[in-house]
Amino acid sequence: MSAEELASLKDIAKATGYSLSTVSRVMRNKGEIAEGTRKRIHEAAEKLGYHENRLISGFQTGRSGLIGIIYDHGNPFFQEIESEIQRLLYDRDCMLISCAAFNETNQDSALIRRLVEQRVDGIIIVPRDDFADNAYFSGLVSRCIPVISVDRKTRADIDFVGTDDFYGGYLSAAHLYETGRRHLGYLAGPGFASPARLRREGIEAFCREHPEFSVKIIAETGFFDFRRELILDFLREHPETDAIATFYDWQAIRICRILFEEKIRIPEEIAVMGFGCMEPDYANVFPVTSVNQKTAEIAAKVVERLFLRLERGKKEEIPSAEIRIKPEILVKGSTVKQKGKTE
């Protein structure tokens, strides 16, 4: 056997003198086999550099052990979820095929098709928009391939796992209210995305319950690199503003830098609130209070739901589920003065 070739079960049988069926049962941990026989076969397999042929076992079991995931690789929130999903799948002897989604027409559909061609057992997707319907995922559903939508709830009758964004927005407003703020400026996310709409609705719901706490929308933007003047013009127009909340953390970090450059004290003059707990330690000198979306819990629910469908979905009808994880506030120095800090 040349160095380039992978050892097969036949090679192990030839090297040990055992039958192919005995070697197969040992390598697949099937049946009653004497410990001495098992040991000799494993030693031979290691020496020959044997690797299981997943293609063959996939044909035999109907499972490839591959799971596809499609998401924006530039978003640290999704990076954390993917990393945890990968760890959980490893514990289940599965491998993740990660595909980067860009804002190109029909790219999600093309990636889904490629993953089906790779015979993945299931697909996890962060849709580019909320408008994907049953027809969009029909190719997966008709083949009984489980598909889980993360973060964005679509119109399709598929499983969804994500943050309770309405509650997260409500918590943001409640925290700022509890710290004495009464005039909030909100840098909202894009209206076409359900997380953005729900977070804004949560903030506005708190304001309706507390009329003395007002909110004014600075703008709707999904981008980090918004114009500096966007914030400064808003503050000139609304000098009473004593708090700014944002759709996600990177916006809050940029606002902190703008306020610092303008010599506006944080949090004494203006408190700043983020969302997502994505602030890296090195990013800025302002520890940003944020809404913890609990990425590990989201990932665990995604994998749990995926395997529920893989193990029971072909035997029984399982209704689609909407699973939302309750977030919590992680308080830092941008809304409450840290203990031990001096002027």
Side-chain angles (χ1 to χ4, degrees):
M1 185 173 63
S2 68
E4 291 80 12
E5 294 175 338
L6 288 174
S8 67
L9 295 178
K10 288 182 179 179
D11 295 319
I12 299 172
K14 183 178 179 180
T16 59
Y18 292 110
S19 68
L20 181 59
S21 64
T22 299
V23 171
S24 177
R25 283 186 291 146
V26 168
M27 298 312 296
R28 290 175 172 79
N29 199 27
K30 303 286 187 182
E32 297 284 339
I33 303 291
E35 189 57 38
T37 299
R38 190 181 298 277
K39 182 180 178 182
R40 284 190 291 274
I41 289 174
H42 279 300
E43 287 174 348
E46 185 175 354
K47 184 177 179 180
L48 292 169
Y50 170 77
H51 293 273
E52 180 184 358
N53 189 326
R54 292 283 182 143
L55 289 176
I56 293 176
S57 63
F59 285 128
Q60 294 170 339
T61 64
R63 295 267 288 269
S64 67
L66 301 174
I67 303 296
I69 185 169
I70 302 170
Y71 75 101
D72 175 8
H73 282 193
N75 189 313
F77 171 65
F78 299 132
Q79 290 170 10
E80 281 196 10
I81 291 176
E82 189 232 27
S83 178
E84 182 65 15
I85 287 174
Q86 189 161 204
R87 186 188 68 79
L88 294 169
L89 289 178
Y90 180 83
D91 292 341
R92 291 175 178 262
D93 196 29
C94 289
M95 189 173 77
L96 196 63
I97 300 178
S98 184
C99 301
F102 305 101
N103 291 324
E104 296 179 14
T105 304
N106 297 325
Q107 193 199 39
D108 283 0
S109 298
L111 291 172
I112 289 171
R113 185 171 59 253
R114 290 297 301 272
L115 289 171
V116 171
E117 290 169 356
Q118 295 298 318
R119 297 298 188 265
V120 294
D121 294 331
I123 291 178
I124 301 160
I125 183 171
V126 180
R128 287 188 299 110
D129 56 48
D130 299 348
F131 307 112
D133 55 15
N134 287 334
Y136 191 88
F137 296 107
S138 61
L140 298 174
V141 176
S142 64
R143 293 177 174 86
C144 295
I145 299 174
V147 55
I148 314 289
S149 172
V150 178
D151 190 60
R152 287 186 172 181
K153 179 74 172 70
T154 71
R155 298 174 179 177
D157 296 323
I158 61 172
D159 291 329
F160 165 82
V161 181
T163 304
D164 188 336
D165 289 295
F166 179 92
Y167 183 67
Y170 190 94
L171 279 182
S172 298
H175 171 71
L176 293 169
Y177 182 85
E178 289 165 2
T179 60
R181 276 71 187 191
R182 293 296 180 268
H183 303 284
L184 172 63
Y186 184 53
L187 190 59
F192 61 80
S194 57
R197 293 196 303 273
L198 290 168
R199 292 173 197 179
R200 177 173 174 171
E201 288 170 8
I203 288 174
E204 291 172 341
F206 184 88
C207 292
R208 285 194 296 273
E209 294 174 11
H210 302 78
E212 68 276 22
F213 184 75
S214 65
V215 59
K216 291 182 173 63
I217 304 302
I218 300 171
E220 280 190 5
T221 176
F223 300 103
F224 163 69
D225 194 23
F226 50 85
R227 292 184 306 107
R228 170 191 177 88
E229 289 303 311
L230 179 69
I231 303 301
L232 298 181
D233 287 348
F234 178 84
L235 293 178
R236 281 191 284 268
E237 187 175 350
H238 304 285
E240 74 280 5
T241 301
D242 54 12
I244 297 176
T246 63
F247 171 63
Y248 74 125
D249 280 347
W250 289 101
Q251 295 173 327
I253 291 168
R254 175 156 170 72
I255 287 171
C256 284
R257 290 173 176 167
I258 293 170
L259 296 180
F260 175 76
E261 290 164 1
E262 292 296 314
K263 296 182 171 52
I264 298 173
R265 295 180 302 160
I266 306 168
E268 290 85 356
E269 294 178 74
I270 296 180
V272 179
M273 182 90 190
F275 204 109
C277 287
M278 293 292 108
E279 174 205 3
D281 292 337
Y282 59 83
N284 75 101
V285 295
F286 304 99
V288 176
T289 294
S290 187
V291 178
N292 181 3
Q293 294 180 258
K294 302 179 182 177
T295 52
E297 290 187 31
I298 291 174
K301 286 296 182 183
V302 167
V303 173
E304 178 185 308
R305 193 70 191 176
L306 179 68
F307 277 86
L308 172 69
R309 290 201 171 274
L310 285 174
E311 292 162 4
R312 290 169 45 192
K314 291 185 179 181
K315 301 174 185 176
E316 60 184 275
E317 186 174 341
I318 302 173
S320 60
E322 179 176 342
I323 301 170
R324 291 192 177 272
I325 305 301
K326 291 285 187 186
E328 61 186 16
I329 299 293
L330 182 61
V331 178
K332 293 188 179 180
S334 67
T335 60
V336 177
K337 190 174 180 182
Q338 294 175 298
K339 293 180 180 179
K341 295 287 184 180
T342 57
E343 295 289 344

